[in-house]
Amino acid sequence: MTLIKSISGIRGTIGGSVGDNLTPVDAVKFAAAYGQWLKAEYPDGPYKVVVGRDARPSGAMIQSLVMQTMVGHGIDVIDLGLSTTPTVEMAVPMESAQGGIILTASHNPKEWNALKLLNHKGEFLDAKTGASILRIAQTESFEFSAVDDLGLITPNDTYIDKHIEAILALPLVNALAIKSKKFKVVVDAVNSTGGIAVPRLLKALGVEVIELHCTPNGQFPHNPEPLKEHLGDLMEAVVAHKAHLGFVVDPDVDRLAVVDETGAMFGEEYTLVAVADYVLSKTPGDTVSNLSSSRALSDVTQKRGGRYQASAVGEVNVVSMMKETAAVIGGEGNGGIIYPELHYGRDSLVGIALFLSHLAHIDMTVSALKASYPFYAMSKNKVALTQDLDVDGLMNTIAQTYQATESVNTVDGVKIDFEDSWVHLRKSNTEPIIRIYTEAKSQQNADDLALRFVNELKQLAGI
């Protein structure tokens, strides 16, 4: 089993031994470190933190431990209960809180959970801050509050509605146009909190909703990562119900993928492409995605007269570059939409509203919309890591092998740009693996390129 400590938080499997898994002791220890950092950052107080969770089975236990640790620090807690990652992000500044904690392991299976940490803006912590919290956790230099200074927990279940209201108020969200199209949409929420939020948003937009796996009990009916191989039920349901399209979100609702009216994948990479195309058509500007995202966003951005730039992988890195470049839209190719007009965080709910607004304006089917964009095929693979593997050495060897003949970027792992394709190799921040992403102008070429580098890595590693 696994416990991964990184600058973005702590993630692991439930049960097992302290320090090797996400046990109650580990959850309290890391929450205590975050509370200690927050009190040092804001020495004058009073202190307030927003806490919410997805629906996985361990969520209630971990949330109780985290909230009571905050109470012990003298920090008041706004308890959102079952919520979404973007909802918690928006609630932090709305509450004038100093921070937030989201309890979710995102796309990982139900045996995983995690503490994701936010700053006072409702944005993920930067690398420097995350590293300082890890140091506090390691030294266990905690100072808790006296009995008369303990924090209070205040439940508040209104923020999903507030989140939806803020989306409906966006100038580019055209609820009247969406309603006039009488869209029928199938929603797969993998039995997590998207089952609460997504149907509520769609009904507010005047959309007929067919709910699939929308009971928030944390019993994921399939692998919760929104990839084609996991979405057979949704594809079949879209065709069976003669729906216009299907939406699927991950357990914490920050990744969005689309299925077209024929039951085919629109492609999670193209979620951002389509939304960006719509936003750029109304508000010209620049875009940002990460190094592992499709070239199609760059193509669309240039067509609309803007400039595209790529950041290191990770939401905090994308957000940082978006701010530096004043990008009007950005995100990650895993279906993560970041729309600064609402907030700087990946948000499936605003992605849904903007996608449907786009669809209503152009008056074409989802499959026709996909066909209107440059075609690229992507392959996503991984190689499992062993304890003694020198990952940095492997990456350096790969970079040196290709840098004389190809364009090589080592900002985040190694990305090699070929004339009609690219490969990006990087160590995952959330799993003990090396991710291998490739893109080319045909699926066969993307798959062949991926296999080539899987074999190169294994040969170099001796596995």
Side-chain angles (χ1 to χ4, degrees):
M1 306 300 272
T2 307
L3 182 67
I4 300 173
K5 303 171 186 176
S6 73
I7 59 172
S8 60
I10 183 169
R11 179 182 301 233
T13 47
I14 298 299
S17 303
V18 174
D20 293 330
N21 307 81
L22 185 57
T23 68
V25 173
D26 294 291
V28 168
K29 179 179 176 179
F30 201 79
Y34 176 71
Q36 192 73 31
W37 165 81
L38 185 143
K39 290 174 70 176
E41 189 76 5
Y42 304 97
D44 297 332
Y47 312 108
K48 186 192 295 185
V49 166
V50 178
V51 180
R53 64 180 175 92
D54 70 14
R56 62 188 65 234
S58 62
M61 175 189 72
I62 298 295
Q63 183 171 5
S64 295
L65 292 164
V66 167
M67 290 195 303
Q68 295 299 345
T69 302
M70 294 299 108
V71 168
H73 263 308
I75 298 170
D76 292 336
V77 176
I78 306 300
D79 172 14
L80 271 54
L82 288 172
S83 191
T84 78
T85 285
T87 303
V88 176
E89 291 172 346
M90 291 190 65
V92 170
M94 286 182 177
E95 283 286 339
S96 298
Q98 285 86 13
I101 303 176
I102 306 159
L103 306 169
T104 175
S106 192
H107 62 274
N108 290 104
K110 71 175 184 179
E111 63 267 24
W112 288 76
N113 213 327
L115 283 68
K116 295 184 178 181
L117 308 177
L118 305 175
N119 63 20
H120 70 284
K121 297 178 182 178
E123 299 168 11
F124 286 110
L125 303 180
D126 60 27
K128 182 179 178 181
T129 302
S132 68
I133 292 172
L134 287 175
R135 285 194 297 271
I136 294 169
Q138 186 174 13
T139 60
E140 299 188 18
S141 54
F142 311 133
E143 185 72 28
F144 292 100
S145 297
V147 67
D148 291 330
D149 298 319
L150 299 177
L152 299 173
I153 298 174
T154 303
N156 188 328
D157 63 0
T158 66
Y159 271 100
I160 287 178
D161 287 331
K162 290 178 180 177
H163 186 175
I164 291 171
E165 289 167 7
I167 291 171
L168 296 176
L170 291 169
L172 293 193
V173 173
N174 194 331
L176 289 177
I178 293 170
K179 186 175 182 179
S180 72
K181 293 299 181 181
K182 298 181 179 179
F183 290 127
K184 181 190 290 188
V185 175
V186 182
V187 175
D188 180 352
V190 292
N191 287 338
S192 191
T193 50
I196 302 170
V198 176
R200 197 176 296 181
L201 168 66
L202 289 171
K203 290 171 185 176
L205 290 168
V207 174
E208 181 183 349
V209 182
I210 308 297
E211 297 185 15
L212 178 69
H213 309 316
C214 284
T215 303
N217 57 20
Q219 299 300 321
F220 304 149
H222 55 75
N223 186 308
E225 189 164 14
L227 302 177
K228 178 181 178 179
E229 56 266 30
H230 307 150
L231 302 179
D233 288 354
L234 177 61
M235 295 173 177
E236 292 175 5
V238 169
V239 175
H241 289 280
K242 297 181 179 179
H244 293 88
L245 69 158
F247 287 124
V248 59
V249 295
D250 65 340
D252 67 325
V253 200
D254 65 357
R255 290 175 61 177
L256 172 66
V258 182
V259 169
D260 73 18
E261 77 283 359
T262 73
M265 284 295 293
F266 189 77
E268 61 171 354
E269 289 289 332
Y270 282 83
T271 304
L272 175 57
V273 174
V275 171
D277 187 29
Y278 173 63
V279 170
L280 292 172
S281 73
K282 305 296 182 182
T283 53
D286 298 338
T287 65
V288 173
S289 65
N290 68 42
L291 287 164
S292 285
S293 299
S294 176
R295 282 182 180 175
L297 179 60
S298 176
D299 294 346
V300 166
T301 304
Q302 292 177 35
K303 182 179 178 181
R304 293 290 186 183
R307 183 178 62 159
Y308 165 80
Q309 293 194 63
S311 76
V313 173
E315 182 173 322
V316 66
N317 298 314
V318 176
V319 166
S320 178
M321 185 168 284
M322 287 180 70
K323 290 179 177 180
E324 290 173 10
T325 60
V328 297
I329 184 73
E332 299 190 281
N334 60 12
I337 305 296
I338 302 174
Y339 187 48
E341 188 75 13
L342 185 66
H343 70 118
Y344 276 107
R346 295 187 309 185
D347 189 332
S348 294
L349 299 180
V350 76
I352 286 169
L354 291 171
F355 189 95
L356 289 175
S357 295
H358 187 28
L359 204 60
H361 277 87
I362 59 174
D363 195 26
M364 64 172 64
T365 63
V366 176
S367 60
L369 176 62
K370 173 65 180 294
S372 72
Y373 295 126
F375 178 78
Y376 294 99
M378 188 170 283
S379 182
K380 299 183 179 183
N381 293 264
K382 53 193 175 184
V383 173
L385 301 179
T386 58
Q387 291 281 351
D388 58 346
L389 194 60
D390 180 7
V391 178
D392 292 337
L394 286 177
M395 295 295 191
N396 287 335
T397 300
I398 292 284
Q400 290 169 11
T401 300
Y402 287 92
Q403 64 186 6
T405 57
E406 311 294 345
S407 174
V408 176
N409 185 320
T410 56
V411 168
D412 182 12
V414 178
K415 183 172 184 179
I416 306 167
D417 274 295
F418 303 99
E419 183 177 355
D420 294 322
S421 60
W422 55 258
V423 59
H424 189 199
L425 316 171
R426 61 182 294 274
K427 184 178 178 180
S428 172
N429 291 328
T430 58
E431 299 176 69
I433 58 174
I434 293 177
R435 296 190 185 277
I436 304 170
Y437 287 7
T438 61
E439 185 175 68
K441 291 188 175 181
S442 75
Q443 191 62 59
Q444 185 65 54
N445 287 346
D447 292 343
D448 289 348
L449 185 61
L451 181 60
R452 168 182 158 187
F453 277 89
V454 166
N455 290 334
E456 284 194 30
L457 275 174
K458 287 183 175 180
Q459 185 175 7
L460 287 170
I463 56 176

